[in-house]
Amino acid sequence: MRVFNRKDLENMNNKPIGIFDSGVGGLTVVKQMFKRLPNESIVYLGDTARVPYGTKSPETIKKYAVENANFLMRFKVKLIVVACNTASSTSMEELIKHVNVPVVGVIKPGAKKAVAVTRNNKIGVIGTYTTIKSKAYVREIKNISPKIDVVSKPCPLFVPLVEEGWLREKATYAIAEKYLGSFRRKGIDTLVLGCTHYPLLKQVIGKVMGKSVKIIDSASSVADEVHTILMSMGELSDTNKKPHHKFFATDAVEHFIRVGEKFLGTKIYRAERANYV
Ligand code: DGL
């Protein structure tokens, strides 16, 4: 058995958390991680060279996800967060087999939160084509409570609208109405935002759905889940060490910074190109 001395343990705790997404969207998860886990260092990877994942096949996404995880493992991360809903809904098994650190996806925490919130047992889920087709949210929700009815719908145009910064335009309301009008008639009381980009449209989506529908954004539940795992492993970072964050993109680093700041809600001073793609 290996015996760890104090220095070893300190180094282990202060290892960074790795987070990846298909692009900038996963920074909504980083924003919540900064709030919930302010002492943790983060290495963020946005696969901007191959975004969007939401229209690609599960096989392709699995391959990308493993390559992304390999890149993060170079930084000796102590845990990996799959901030992308599409990658979480298709690649968790593959990733868990592939790396020797805990892997946290966004589907389970989002499903758990929705089940805790619904009162009438009717939950709506929106996401990319691939996420909705995978039925990952339906499976997770039914796993927790089989009696819950789940209705799902892909809303692919929300991603480019957010990237374009059209967060409250007339056209955005019109598109949201077109996608979500049918959900209002289905009587759901809870709606899961099953895509990294949708939290930025929370206001529009909330307005279209009406006050009686609770909007669930899994980002804060993911941060809670990471906190619970690290605490149970005794791997929360020391409070007296300053965290260091690193941002990487597989292409178009300047665009990543410009759009990414909107998602993160704070400045990104430096990002580097990840060259493995
Ligand atoms: N990050 C993706 C997700 O959460 C949205 C963007 C894409 O299609 O790659 O599903």
Side-chain angles (χ1 to χ4, degrees):
M1 191 177 84
R2 180 163 175 210
V3 180
F4 294 103
N5 63 29
R6 225 182 106 199
K7 193 92 204 128
D8 282 335
L9 286 171
E10 267 179 23
N11 289 341
M12 203 181 331
N13 292 352
N14 290 315
K15 283 179 183 170
I17 295 171
I19 303 185
F20 79 82
D21 176 45
S22 55
V24 287
L27 292 166
T28 51
V29 175
V30 176
K31 186 176 175 181
Q32 295 305 324
M33 298 280 288
F34 282 174
K35 276 195 203 155
R36 184 75 179 88
L37 295 149
N39 302 311
E40 299 297 332
S41 297
I42 286 171
V43 181
Y44 181 88
L45 169 68
D47 191 4
T48 45
R50 304 185 287 196
V51 71
Y53 284 9
T55 48
K56 296 193 169 77
S57 70
E59 290 65 40
T60 300
I61 298 161
K62 274 179 204 163
K63 180 176 163 283
Y64 294 172
V66 167
E67 288 171 5
N68 297 340
N70 282 345
F71 177 79
L72 291 173
M73 290 306 285
R74 291 188 205 167
F75 298 86
K76 307 212 174 330
V77 295
K78 60 185 171 189
L79 180 146
I80 291 180
V81 176
V82 185
C84 176
N85 285 257
T86 309
S88 296
S89 66
T90 52
S91 314
M92 287 302 286
E93 269 179 38
E94 203 75 14
L95 287 167
I96 290 166
K97 265 193 266 162
H98 189 77
V99 297
N100 59 359
V101 295
V103 184
V104 177
V106 286
I107 310 286
K108 250 190 205 164
K112 253 198 228 166
K113 192 166 168 188
V115 171
V117 163
T118 184
R119 290 287 157 260
N120 73 355
N121 290 334
K122 281 192 185 142
I123 296 177
V125 178
I126 53 176
T128 65
Y129 277 123
T130 303
T131 297
I132 298 305
K133 198 163 167 225
S134 76
K135 295 199 165 34
Y137 273 106
V138 183
R139 270 197 305 278
E140 283 302 335
I141 291 170
K142 294 259 184 206
N143 243 342
I144 308 170
S145 177
K147 63 175 190 281
I148 293 181
D149 267 347
V150 187
V151 284
S152 317
K153 182 154 194 159
C155 302
L157 288 176
F158 283 170
V159 170
L161 283 173
V162 169
E163 300 252 333
E164 195 59 24
W166 286 21
L167 305 184
R168 285 187 246 313
E169 309 288 312
K170 250 189 174 169
T172 312
Y173 278 98
I175 290 166
E177 177 62 40
K178 174 115 182 144
Y179 279 144
L180 303 174
S182 57
F183 265 22
R184 265 201 314 268
R185 292 188 285 280
K186 292 219 158 78
I188 60 164
D189 72 348
T190 307
L191 178 66
V192 180
L193 305 184
C195 174
T196 47
H197 287 57
Y198 300 179
L200 278 92
L201 296 176
K202 210 167 181 171
Q203 201 172 324
V204 173
I205 294 170
K207 208 156 183 189
V208 168
M209 291 309 297
K211 282 206 179 77
S212 59
V213 177
K214 298 267 179 325
I215 310 285
I216 306 295
D217 148 8
S218 55
S220 58
S221 325
V222 173
D224 288 341
E225 177 100 358
V226 171
H227 183 268
T228 307
I229 293 174
L230 292 181
M231 197 158 72
S232 72
M233 296 178 3
E235 289 209 17
L236 282 168
S237 281
D238 291 352
T239 46
N240 56 358
K241 289 239 164 70
K242 209 173 165 284
H244 293 286
H245 309 303
K246 281 182 189 293
F247 296 92
F248 291 93
T250 49
D251 196 11
V253 174
E254 273 167 31
H255 184 257
F256 170 84
I257 293 176
R258 190 159 33 81
V259 182
E261 287 177 344
K262 278 193 254 168
F263 284 78
L264 194 58
T266 167
K267 218 161 163 48
I268 298 173
Y269 290 98
R270 192 180 138 84
E272 290 165 58
R273 169 90 194 267
N275 278 319
Y276 64 95
V277 170

